[in-house]
Coordinates of all heavy atoms in Angstrom, one line a residue:
K523 N 74.5 116.2 127.0 CA 74.7 117.6 127.3 C 74.8 118.4 126.1 O 74.5 119.6 126.1 CB 76.0 117.7 128.1 CG 76.0 117.0 129.5 CD 77.3 117.1 130.2 CE 78.3 116.1 129.6 NZ 79.5 115.9 130.4
S524 N 75.3 117.8 125.0 CA 75.5 118.6 123.7 C 75.2 117.6 122.6 O 75.3 116.4 122.8 CB 76.9 119.1 123.6 OG 77.1 119.6 122.3
H525 N 74.9 118.1 121.4 CA 74.7 117.2 120.3 C 75.7 117.5 119.2 O 75.5 117.2 118.0 CB 73.3 117.4 119.7 CG 72.2 116.9 120.6 ND1 71.6 117.6 121.6 CD2 71.6 115.7 120.6 CE1 70.7 116.9 122.2 NE2 70.7 115.7 121.7
I526 N 76.8 118.2 119.6 CA 77.9 118.5 118.7 C 79.1 117.7 119.0 O 79.6 117.8 120.1 CB 78.2 120.0 118.7 CG1 76.9 120.8 118.2 CG2 79.4 120.3 117.8 CD1 77.1 122.3 118.4
I527 N 79.6 116.9 118.1 CA 80.8 116.1 118.4 C 82.0 116.8 117.8 O 82.1 117.1 116.6 CB 80.7 114.7 117.7 CG1 79.5 113.9 118.2 CG2 81.9 113.9 117.9 CD1 79.2 112.7 117.5
S528 N 82.9 117.2 118.7 CA 84.1 117.9 118.2 C 85.1 116.9 117.6 O 86.3 116.8 118.1 CB 84.7 118.7 119.4 OG 83.8 119.6 119.9
H529 N 84.7 116.3 116.6 CA 85.5 115.2 116.0 C 85.0 115.0 114.5 O 84.0 115.6 114.1 CB 85.4 113.9 116.8 CG 86.6 113.1 116.7 ND1 87.0 112.4 115.5 CD2 87.6 112.7 117.6 CE1 88.1 111.7 115.8 NE2 88.5 111.9 117.0
S530 N 85.8 114.2 113.8 CA 85.4 114.0 112.4 C 84.4 112.8 112.2 O 83.8 112.7 111.2 CB 86.7 113.7 111.5 OG 87.6 114.8 111.6
Y531 N 84.4 112.0 113.2 CA 83.5 110.8 113.2 C 83.1 110.4 114.6 O 83.6 111.0 115.6 CB 84.2 109.6 112.4 CG 85.6 109.3 113.0 CD1 85.8 108.4 114.0 CD2 86.7 109.8 112.3 CE1 87.0 108.1 114.5 CE2 88.0 109.4 112.8 CZ 88.1 108.6 113.9 OH 89.4 108.3 114.4
C532 N 82.3 109.4 114.7 CA 81.7 109.0 116.0 C 82.7 108.1 116.7 O 82.4 106.8 116.8 CB 80.3 108.4 115.9 SG 79.1 109.6 115.3
E533 N 83.7 108.6 117.3 CA 84.7 107.8 118.0 C 84.1 107.6 119.5 O 83.4 108.5 120.0 CB 86.0 108.5 118.0 CG 87.2 107.7 118.5 CD 87.5 108.0 120.0 OE1 87.0 109.0 120.5 OE2 88.1 107.1 120.6
H534 N 84.4 106.5 120.1 CA 83.8 106.2 121.4 C 84.0 107.3 122.4 O 83.0 107.8 123.1 CB 84.4 104.9 121.9 CG 83.8 104.4 123.3 ND1 84.6 104.4 124.4 CD2 82.6 104.1 123.6 CE1 83.9 104.0 125.4 NE2 82.6 103.8 125.0
M535 N 85.2 107.7 122.7 CA 85.4 108.7 123.7 C 84.8 110.1 123.3 O 84.3 110.8 124.2 CB 87.0 108.9 123.9 CG 87.6 107.7 124.5 SD 86.9 107.2 126.1 CE 87.1 108.7 127.1
A536 N 84.8 110.4 122.1 CA 84.1 111.7 121.6 C 82.6 111.7 121.9 O 82.1 112.7 122.3 CB 84.4 111.9 120.2
V537 N 82.0 110.5 121.8 CA 80.6 110.4 122.0 C 80.3 110.4 123.5 O 79.4 111.0 124.0 CB 80.0 109.1 121.4 CG1 78.5 109.0 121.7 CG2 80.1 109.2 119.9
I538 N 81.1 109.7 124.3 CA 81.0 109.5 125.7 C 81.0 110.9 126.4 O 80.3 111.2 127.4 CB 82.0 108.6 126.3 CG1 81.7 107.1 126.0 CG2 82.2 108.8 127.8 CD1 80.4 106.6 126.7
T539 N 81.9 111.8 125.9 CA 82.0 113.1 126.6 C 80.8 113.9 126.4 O 80.6 114.9 127.2 CB 83.2 113.9 126.0 OG1 83.0 114.0 124.5 CG2 84.5 113.2 126.3
L540 N 79.9 113.6 125.5 CA 78.6 114.4 125.3 C 77.5 113.9 126.2 O 76.5 114.6 126.4 CB 78.2 114.2 123.9 CG 79.1 114.6 122.8 CD1 78.4 114.4 121.4 CD2 79.7 116.0 122.9
T541 N 77.6 112.7 126.8 CA 76.5 112.1 127.5 C 76.4 112.6 128.9 O 77.3 113.1 129.6 CB 76.7 110.6 127.6 OG1 77.9 110.3 128.3 CG2 76.7 110.0 126.2
C542 N 75.1 112.6 129.4 CA 74.9 112.9 130.8 C 74.9 111.6 131.7 O 74.8 110.5 131.1 CB 73.5 113.5 131.0 SG 73.3 115.1 130.1
G543 N 75.2 111.7 132.9 CA 75.2 110.5 133.8 C 76.6 110.0 134.0 O 77.6 110.5 133.5
D544 N 76.7 108.9 134.7 CA 77.9 108.3 135.1 C 78.4 107.4 134.0 O 77.8 106.4 133.7 CB 77.7 107.4 136.4 CG 79.1 106.9 136.9 OD1 80.1 107.2 136.3 OD2 79.0 106.3 138.0
S545 N 79.6 107.8 133.4 CA 80.1 107.1 132.2 C 81.3 106.2 132.6 O 82.0 105.8 131.7 CB 80.5 108.1 131.1 OG 81.5 109.0 131.5
R546 N 81.5 106.1 133.9 CA 82.7 105.3 134.3 C 82.8 103.9 133.8 O 83.8 103.3 133.4 CB 82.9 105.3 135.9 CG 83.4 106.7 136.4 CD 83.5 106.6 137.9 NE 82.1 106.5 138.5 CZ 81.9 106.5 139.9 NH1 82.9 106.5 140.7 NH2 80.7 106.4 140.3
V547 N 81.6 103.2 133.8 CA 81.5 101.9 133.3 C 81.9 101.8 131.9 O 82.7 100.9 131.5 CB 80.1 101.3 133.5 CG1 80.0 99.9 132.9 CG2 79.7 101.2 135.0
N548 N 81.4 102.7 131.1 CA 81.8 102.8 129.7 C 83.3 103.0 129.5 O 84.0 102.4 128.6 CB 81.0 103.9 128.9 CG 79.5 103.6 129.0 OD1 78.9 103.7 130.1 ND2 78.9 103.4 127.9
N549 N 83.9 104.0 130.3 CA 85.3 104.3 130.2 C 86.1 103.1 130.5 O 87.1 102.8 129.8 CB 85.6 105.5 131.1 CG 85.1 106.8 130.5 OD1 85.0 107.0 129.3 ND2 84.7 107.7 131.4
V550 N 85.8 102.4 131.6 CA 86.6 101.2 132.1 C 86.5 100.1 131.1 O 87.5 99.5 130.8 CB 86.1 100.8 133.5 CG1 86.7 99.4 133.8 CG2 86.4 101.8 134.5
Y551 N 85.3 99.9 130.5 CA 85.1 98.8 129.5 C 86.0 99.2 128.3 O 86.7 98.3 127.7 CB 83.7 98.7 129.2 CG 83.4 97.5 128.2 CD1 83.4 96.2 128.7 CD2 83.3 97.7 126.9 CE1 83.2 95.1 127.8 CE2 83.1 96.7 126.0 CZ 83.0 95.4 126.5 OH 82.8 94.3 125.6
G552 N 85.9 100.4 127.8 CA 86.6 100.8 126.6 C 88.1 100.6 126.8 O 88.8 100.1 126.0
L553 N 88.6 101.1 128.0 CA 90.1 100.9 128.3 C 90.5 99.5 128.4 O 91.6 99.1 127.9 CB 90.4 101.7 129.6 CG 90.4 103.2 129.5 CD1 90.6 103.8 130.9 CD2 91.5 103.7 128.6
S554 N 89.6 98.6 129.0 CA 89.9 97.2 129.1 C 90.0 96.5 127.8 O 90.9 95.7 127.5 CB 88.8 96.5 130.0 OG 88.7 97.1 131.2
I555 N 89.1 96.9 126.9 CA 89.1 96.3 125.5 C 90.4 96.8 124.8 O 91.1 96.0 124.1 CB 87.9 96.7 124.7 CG1 86.6 96.1 125.3 CG2 88.0 96.3 123.3 CD1 86.7 94.6 125.4
G556 N 90.7 98.0 124.9 CA 92.0 98.5 124.3 C 93.2 97.8 124.8 O 94.1 97.4 124.0
F557 N 93.2 97.5 126.1 CA 94.3 96.7 126.7 C 94.4 95.3 126.1 O 95.4 94.8 125.7 CB 94.2 96.7 128.2 CG 95.3 95.9 128.9 CD1 96.6 96.4 129.1 CD2 95.0 94.5 129.3 CE1 97.5 95.6 129.7 CE2 96.0 93.8 129.9 CZ 97.3 94.3 130.1
L558 N 93.2 94.7 126.1 CA 93.1 93.3 125.7 C 93.6 93.1 124.2 O 94.3 92.2 123.9 CB 91.7 92.7 125.8 CG 91.3 92.3 127.2 CD1 89.8 92.0 127.2 CD2 92.1 91.1 127.7
V559 N 93.1 94.1 123.4 CA 93.4 94.0 122.0 C 94.9 94.4 121.7 O 95.7 93.6 121.2 CB 92.4 94.8 121.2 CG1 92.8 94.8 119.7 CG2 91.0 94.3 121.3
L560 N 95.2 95.7 122.0 CA 96.5 96.2 121.5 C 97.6 95.6 122.3 O 98.6 95.2 121.7 CB 96.4 97.7 121.7 CG 95.5 98.5 120.8 CD1 95.5 100.0 121.0 CD2 95.8 98.2 119.3
V561 N 97.5 95.6 123.6 CA 98.7 95.1 124.4 C 98.9 93.6 124.3 O 100.0 93.2 124.0 CB 98.5 95.6 125.9 CG1 99.7 95.0 126.8 CG2 98.4 97.1 126.0
L562 N 97.8 92.9 124.5 CA 98.0 91.4 124.5 C 98.3 90.9 123.1 O 99.2 90.0 122.9 CB 96.8 90.7 125.1 CG 96.5 91.0 126.5 CD1 95.3 90.1 127.0 CD2 97.7 90.7 127.4
D563 N 97.6 91.4 122.1 CA 98.0 91.0 120.7 C 99.4 91.4 120.3 O 100.1 90.5 119.7 CB 97.0 91.7 119.7 CG 95.6 91.0 119.7 OD1 95.4 90.2 120.6 OD2 94.8 91.4 118.8
S564 N 99.8 92.6 120.7 CA 101.2 93.0 120.3 C 102.2 92.1 121.1 O 103.3 91.8 120.5 CB 101.4 94.5 120.6 OG 101.1 94.8 121.9
M565 N 101.9 91.8 122.3 CA 102.8 90.9 123.1 C 102.9 89.5 122.5 O 104.0 88.9 122.3 CB 102.3 90.8 124.5 CG 102.6 92.0 125.4 SD 102.0 91.9 127.0 CE 102.9 90.5 127.7
A566 N 101.8 89.0 122.0 CA 101.8 87.6 121.4 C 102.5 87.7 120.1 O 103.3 86.7 119.8 CB 100.3 87.2 121.2
I567 N 102.3 88.7 119.3 CA 103.1 88.9 118.0 C 104.6 89.0 118.3 O 105.4 88.4 117.6 CB 102.6 90.1 117.3 CG1 101.1 89.9 116.8 CG2 103.5 90.4 116.1 CD1 100.5 91.1 116.2
A568 N 104.9 89.8 119.4 CA 106.4 89.9 119.7 C 107.0 88.6 120.1 O 108.1 88.2 119.7 CB 106.5 90.9 120.8
I569 N 106.2 87.8 120.9 CA 106.7 86.5 121.3 C 106.9 85.6 120.1 O 107.9 84.8 120.0 CB 105.8 85.8 122.3 CG1 105.8 86.6 123.7 CG2 106.1 84.3 122.6 CD1 104.7 86.2 124.6
S570 N 106.0 85.6 119.2 CA 106.1 84.7 118.0 C 107.4 85.1 117.2 O 108.1 84.3 116.7 CB 104.9 84.8 117.1 OG 104.8 86.1 116.5
Y571 N 107.7 86.4 117.1 CA 108.9 86.9 116.4 C 110.2 86.6 117.1 O 111.2 86.4 116.4 CB 108.7 88.3 116.0 CG 108.1 88.5 114.6 CD1 106.7 88.7 114.5 CD2 108.8 88.3 113.5 CE1 106.1 88.8 113.3 CE2 108.2 88.3 112.2 CZ 106.8 88.6 112.1 OH 106.2 88.7 110.9
V572 N 110.1 86.6 118.4 CA 111.3 86.1 119.2 C 111.6 84.7 118.8 O 112.8 84.3 118.6 CB 111.1 86.3 120.7 CG1 112.2 85.6 121.5 CG2 111.1 87.8 121.1
M573 N 110.6 83.8 118.8 CA 110.8 82.4 118.4 C 111.2 82.3 117.0 O 112.1 81.4 116.6 CB 109.5 81.6 118.7 CG 109.1 81.7 120.1 SD 107.4 81.0 120.4 CE 107.7 79.3 120.2
I574 N 110.7 83.1 116.1 CA 111.1 83.1 114.7 C 112.6 83.5 114.6 O 113.4 82.8 113.8 CB 110.2 84.0 113.8 CG1 108.8 83.4 113.6 CG2 110.8 84.3 112.5 CD1 107.8 84.3 113.0
F575 N 113.0 84.5 115.3 CA 114.3 85.0 115.2 C 115.3 84.0 115.7 O 116.4 83.8 115.1 CB 114.5 86.3 116.0 CG 115.8 87.0 115.9 CD1 116.1 87.7 114.7 CD2 116.7 87.0 116.9 CE1 117.3 88.3 114.6 CE2 117.9 87.6 116.8 CZ 118.2 88.3 115.6

Side-chain angles (χ1 to χ4, degrees):
K523 294 175 285 190
S524 170
H525 291 87
I526 298 174
I527 302 173
S528 297
H529 209 290
S530 303
Y531 52 84
C532 294
E533 192 264 340
H534 179 244
M535 292 305 299
V537 175
I538 284 293
T539 56
L540 307 182
T541 59
C542 299
D544 188 357
S545 61
R546 283 179 295 181
V547 174
N548 299 67
N549 288 328
V550 170
Y551 184 80
L553 287 171
S554 301
I555 293 303
F557 176 82
L558 283 171
V559 174
L560 294 178
V561 177
L562 295 185
D563 283 9
S564 58
M565 285 177 61
I567 291 170
I569 290 169
S570 72
Y571 269 97
V572 168
M573 298 168 74
I574 288 170
F575 187 74

